[in-house]
mmCIF file of all heavy atoms in Angstrom:
data_model
loop_
_atom_site.group_PDB
_atom_site.id
_atom_site.type_symbol
_atom_site.label_atom_id
_atom_site.label_comp_id
_atom_site.label_asym_id
_atom_site.label_seq_id
_atom_site.Cartn_x
_atom_site.Cartn_y
_atom_site.Cartn_z
ATOM 1 N N ASP A 34 96.708 99.309 126.973
ATOM 2 C CA ASP A 34 96.814 100.629 126.244
ATOM 3 C C ASP A 34 97.333 100.556 124.820
ATOM 4 O O ASP A 34 98.048 101.411 124.303
ATOM 5 C CB ASP A 34 97.809 101.561 127.075
ATOM 6 C CG ASP A 34 97.311 101.822 128.445
ATOM 7 O OD1 ASP A 34 96.098 101.874 128.633
ATOM 8 O OD2 ASP A 34 98.181 101.944 129.356
ATOM 9 N N THR A 35 96.898 99.437 124.146
ATOM 10 C CA THR A 35 97.263 99.367 122.681
ATOM 11 C C THR A 35 96.135 99.929 121.888
ATOM 12 O O THR A 35 94.996 99.774 122.125
ATOM 13 C CB THR A 35 97.377 97.848 122.332
ATOM 14 O OG1 THR A 35 98.408 97.217 123.096
ATOM 15 C CG2 THR A 35 97.720 97.742 120.867
ATOM 16 N N THR A 36 96.531 100.813 120.938
ATOM 17 C CA THR A 36 95.525 101.459 120.020
ATOM 18 C C THR A 36 95.977 101.092 118.659
ATOM 19 O O THR A 36 97.218 101.088 118.215
ATOM 20 C CB THR A 36 95.489 102.987 120.236
ATOM 21 O OG1 THR A 36 96.862 103.493 120.076
ATOM 22 C CG2 THR A 36 95.029 103.328 121.574
ATOM 23 N N PHE A 37 94.965 100.839 117.744
ATOM 24 C CA PHE A 37 95.185 100.495 116.389
ATOM 25 C C PHE A 37 94.672 101.649 115.519
ATOM 26 O O PHE A 37 93.449 101.916 115.443
ATOM 27 C CB PHE A 37 94.434 99.225 116.053
ATOM 28 C CG PHE A 37 94.906 98.060 116.888
ATOM 29 C CD1 PHE A 37 94.174 97.661 118.028
ATOM 30 C CD2 PHE A 37 96.069 97.379 116.566
ATOM 31 C CE1 PHE A 37 94.592 96.562 118.753
ATOM 32 C CE2 PHE A 37 96.495 96.252 117.345
ATOM 33 C CZ PHE A 37 95.779 95.919 118.464
ATOM 34 N N ALA A 38 95.604 102.388 114.840
ATOM 35 C CA ALA A 38 95.167 103.457 113.921
ATOM 36 C C ALA A 38 95.128 102.820 112.464
ATOM 37 O O ALA A 38 95.577 101.657 112.280
ATOM 38 C CB ALA A 38 96.155 104.582 113.977
ATOM 39 N N ASP A 39 94.793 103.670 111.529
ATOM 40 C CA ASP A 39 94.804 103.129 110.153
ATOM 41 C C ASP A 39 96.208 102.741 109.623
ATOM 42 O O ASP A 39 96.306 101.881 108.866
ATOM 43 C CB ASP A 39 94.101 104.129 109.184
ATOM 44 C CG ASP A 39 92.602 104.301 109.455
ATOM 45 O OD1 ASP A 39 92.113 103.207 109.872
ATOM 46 O OD2 ASP A 39 92.108 105.320 109.036
ATOM 47 N N ARG A 40 97.204 103.486 109.994
ATOM 48 C CA ARG A 40 98.575 103.323 109.498
ATOM 49 C C ARG A 40 99.634 102.997 110.576
ATOM 50 O O ARG A 40 100.814 102.984 110.286
ATOM 51 C CB ARG A 40 98.997 104.536 108.808
ATOM 52 C CG ARG A 40 98.199 104.897 107.584
ATOM 53 C CD ARG A 40 98.677 104.060 106.421
ATOM 54 N NE ARG A 40 97.895 104.323 105.253
ATOM 55 C CZ ARG A 40 97.676 103.393 104.319
ATOM 56 N NH1 ARG A 40 98.231 102.285 104.433
ATOM 57 N NH2 ARG A 40 97.029 103.784 103.280
ATOM 58 N N ASP A 41 99.178 102.693 111.821
ATOM 59 C CA ASP A 41 100.088 102.411 112.817
ATOM 60 C C ASP A 41 99.531 101.668 114.062
ATOM 61 O O ASP A 41 98.296 101.722 114.218
ATOM 62 C CB ASP A 41 100.868 103.702 113.309
ATOM 63 C CG ASP A 41 102.214 103.463 113.921
ATOM 64 O OD1 ASP A 41 102.668 102.370 114.023
ATOM 65 O OD2 ASP A 41 102.738 104.467 114.472
ATOM 66 N N ILE A 42 100.386 101.141 114.896
ATOM 67 C CA ILE A 42 99.966 100.510 116.169
ATOM 68 C C ILE A 42 100.760 101.259 117.254
ATOM 69 O O ILE A 42 101.911 101.439 117.081
ATOM 70 C CB ILE A 42 100.242 99.025 116.240
ATOM 71 C CG1 ILE A 42 99.560 98.211 115.077
ATOM 72 C CG2 ILE A 42 99.876 98.475 117.526
ATOM 73 C CD1 ILE A 42 99.957 96.813 115.027
ATOM 74 N N SER A 43 100.053 101.650 118.282
ATOM 75 C CA SER A 43 100.739 102.308 119.374
ATOM 76 C C SER A 43 100.451 101.595 120.747
ATOM 77 O O SER A 43 99.363 101.111 120.922
ATOM 78 C CB SER A 43 100.274 103.788 119.563
ATOM 79 O OG SER A 43 100.516 104.508 118.409
ATOM 80 N N ILE A 44 101.484 101.465 121.495
ATOM 81 C CA ILE A 44 101.334 100.877 122.853
ATOM 82 C C ILE A 44 101.693 101.909 123.846
ATOM 83 O O ILE A 44 102.954 102.304 123.868
ATOM 84 C CB ILE A 44 102.203 99.596 122.975
ATOM 85 C CG1 ILE A 44 101.712 98.608 121.938
ATOM 86 C CG2 ILE A 44 102.100 99.024 124.394
ATOM 87 C CD1 ILE A 44 102.593 97.293 121.815
ATOM 88 N N GLY A 45 100.787 102.393 124.563
ATOM 89 C CA GLY A 45 101.017 103.564 125.427
ATOM 90 C C GLY A 45 101.189 104.746 124.459
ATOM 91 O O GLY A 45 100.418 105.047 123.684
#
Side-chain angles (χ1 to χ4, degrees):
D34 299 325
T35 302
T36 56
F37 301 98
D39 288 337
R40 296 278 179 208
D41 200 5
I42 301 172
S43 297
I44 299 174

